[in-house]
Amino acid sequence: MNFTQLRCFIKAVDNSSFTIAAERLNFSQSAVSKNIKDLENTIGVTLINRAHHRISLTNAGKYFYHVARNVVDDMDYTVAYLQSQKNDPETLLRIGVCDTPLEQKILPIFLRKLRESGSNLNVQFIFVLNNSIGELLNHHVDLCAIARDDVEVVADVKFKPLIQGQFVLACPKGSPLAEKELITLKDLKNTNIFLLDPNSSLNVQMRYQDILINNMGMDHIKFVQDFLAMDIYVKAGWGYGVLPNFIVDGSAKDVSYIPIDYHDISPYGIAYMESFTNESVLNQVVKILRETIKEYSPVKK
């Protein structure tokens, strides 16, 4: 088994085609087919079903794909890091992000400030929405922007806060609740509320969502898959959304974010492995991010 075989297998699966995989790898189609067949012979199981010019994974193939993907990604990240250290005076830093509206707003400002400071960091952002901790533990990222609740149970992960967490209510402009300074449970009675899907919610959000459900019942509550879907419904005037302040773009013109009368929640910040020893880089990143967030002030208390 070798990396060429693994890459051929992964490319074929990703593109559902030996032909496209060959084009992407600059191989012949026969070379891709042979590498995958040799891989199957080495393992002793069939990974790919080949029928009617279409390919699909066997159960063994589905399991092996995830393992192979992690192995190849780990090697690619390692090689990129070592090459950057050898051939480039800049230091590569991989930061995991969830691509929230807040991050979309502050990260370009952060990069500009970083460059203006004379930093030699070469920052690479990696999307880690569904597996933030896994990406950190597997060393696919060096730092990760995340809520503390999601990392505090992992002993080897450290955390530096950036924003004190707070629940806010996303309100369509011109709606009755958009004029309030603080939202209470009483305000939310008999009001259509959108909540984030429990499968994609933070632990701390789940606790407050349970409080809402217990007080309001389910007649006026609907779940959405992510903050983008919630934003669409709120802007359309279909109801209000409940979410943490460290997700939202507080400068949006057609939505107001009003603080909810609930105790402070898990802060949002930068998580990193205890083995990350470049203290000066960590402090530089955290310092500039804090300055950026302070200037931006997404939601005022």
Side-chain angles (χ1 to χ4, degrees):
M1 183 189 309
N2 57 51
F3 278 98
T4 299
Q5 293 170 352
L6 294 179
R7 291 185 193 282
C8 287
F9 170 67
I10 290 169
K11 283 294 183 184
V13 174
D14 287 347
N15 294 281
S16 299
S17 167
F18 289 158
T19 302
I20 298 176
E23 292 175 355
R24 298 284 166 84
L25 292 168
N26 199 25
F27 287 180
S28 66
Q29 181 175 334
S30 60
V32 170
S33 298
K34 183 179 186 304
N35 272 286
I36 295 174
K37 192 62 180 176
D38 289 345
L39 176 63
E40 292 176 319
N41 290 337
T42 299
I43 300 173
V45 298
T46 300
L47 301 173
I48 293 178
N49 293 314
R50 303 160 175 85
H52 306 296
H53 305 290
R54 299 181 65 182
I55 66 174
S56 63
L57 288 173
T58 63
N59 288 334
K62 291 176 183 177
Y63 175 79
F64 187 78
Y65 172 81
H66 293 292
V67 176
R69 165 66 72 183
N70 285 334
V71 169
V72 172
D73 283 350
D74 280 342
M75 180 57 69
D76 288 343
Y77 286 135
T78 301
V79 170
Y81 175 76
L82 292 175
Q83 288 178 341
S84 72
Q85 294 292 93
K86 178 182 178 180
N87 301 321
D88 198 324
E90 296 182 329
T91 299
L92 176 66
L93 183 70
R94 302 161 302 169
I95 302 179
V97 297
C98 295
D99 198 30
T100 65
L102 172 65
E103 289 174 349
Q104 291 177 15
K105 196 76 175 183
I106 67 172
L107 291 181
I109 303 172
F110 160 73
L111 286 180
R112 175 174 53 79
K113 286 180 172 290
L114 189 67
R115 187 62 68 192
E116 290 173 352
S117 72
S119 171
N120 66 343
L121 287 178
N122 177 15
V123 176
Q124 180 184 70
F125 293 116
I126 298 175
F127 185 61
V128 297
L129 177 61
N130 295 322
N131 192 27
S132 302
I133 297 306
E135 298 294 328
L136 195 61
L137 294 175
N138 289 324
H139 302 285
H140 291 170
V141 298
D142 304 301
L143 309 176
C144 192
I146 197 172
R148 188 176 63 193
D149 261 19
D150 285 1
V151 300
E152 60 185 6
V153 296
V154 185
D156 294 335
V157 176
K158 304 299 180 183
F159 184 85
K160 287 187 179 290
L162 297 174
I163 300 174
Q164 177 53 58
Q166 178 188 33
F167 281 122
V168 296
L169 188 72
C171 307
K173 281 293 176 67
S175 60
L177 297 185
E179 305 304 317
K180 286 186 166 287
E181 295 185 359
L182 189 68
I183 302 297
T184 66
L185 278 174
K186 183 179 178 180
D187 293 325
L188 300 179
K189 289 283 187 180
N190 300 317
T191 300
N192 291 330
I193 299 294
F194 291 98
L195 302 178
L196 294 175
D197 188 314
N199 293 322
S200 61
S201 296
L202 304 171
N203 293 329
V204 67
Q205 176 136 351
M206 288 300 302
R207 289 193 286 271
Y208 185 64
Q209 291 189 169
D210 287 343
I211 292 174
L212 286 176
I213 292 170
N214 289 335
N215 278 269
M216 297 176 55
M218 288 299 299
D219 289 344
H220 295 279
I221 290 178
K222 292 184 179 180
F223 289 99
V224 293
Q225 184 174 359
D226 52 36
F227 43 80
L228 176 60
M230 179 185 289
D231 188 55
I232 292 172
Y233 284 116
V234 170
K235 287 180 178 177
W238 283 30
Y240 299 88
V242 174
L243 68 170
N245 59 335
F246 49 77
I247 287 180
V248 308
D249 173 9
S251 66
K253 296 181 179 180
D254 40 8
V255 178
S256 297
Y257 296 97
I258 313 300
I260 292 175
D261 186 16
Y262 185 73
H263 61 73
D264 287 343
I265 61 174
S266 173
Y268 165 89
I270 294 295
Y272 57 99
M273 296 296 295
E274 191 173 28
S275 58
F276 184 81
T277 57
N278 199 331
E279 193 72 19
S280 62
V281 166
L282 176 64
N283 290 337
Q284 182 183 36
V285 169
V286 171
K287 177 178 180 291
I288 295 178
L289 278 172
R290 283 175 176 164
E291 291 174 355
T292 302
I293 290 168
K294 185 177 180 181
E295 288 181 17
Y296 175 58
S297 300
V299 179
K300 295 181 174 60
K301 289 191 177 185

